[in-house]
Amino acid sequence: MAFPGMPSIGLGGQQTVLNPYRYVGRNDPCPCGSGRKFKRCCGQWR
């Protein structure tokens, strides 16, 4: 199942969801644009 707004690749009846945070390091700025570090923003364990 693909999530809305996420790119997916369809092969037959299968879909693969691509991870938008694959190349973001924990100490890099968060790609969401908040200006915080990734580990303190979207990369937090909840």
Side-chain angles (χ1 to χ4, degrees):
M1 176 178 144
F3 297 101
M6 295 287 296
S8 62
I9 301 169
L11 300 172
Q14 300 175 346
Q15 289 186 344
T16 303
V17 177
L18 302 176
N19 183 358
Y21 302 123
R22 182 173 179 184
Y23 300 110
V24 179
R26 285 178 42 82
N27 289 316
D28 292 341
C30 192
C32 75
S34 67
R36 300 172 75 186
K37 288 185 179 183
F38 179 70
K39 67 181 179 183
R40 295 284 183 195
C41 190
C42 296
Q44 257 183 345
W45 291 92
R46 298 190 191 258

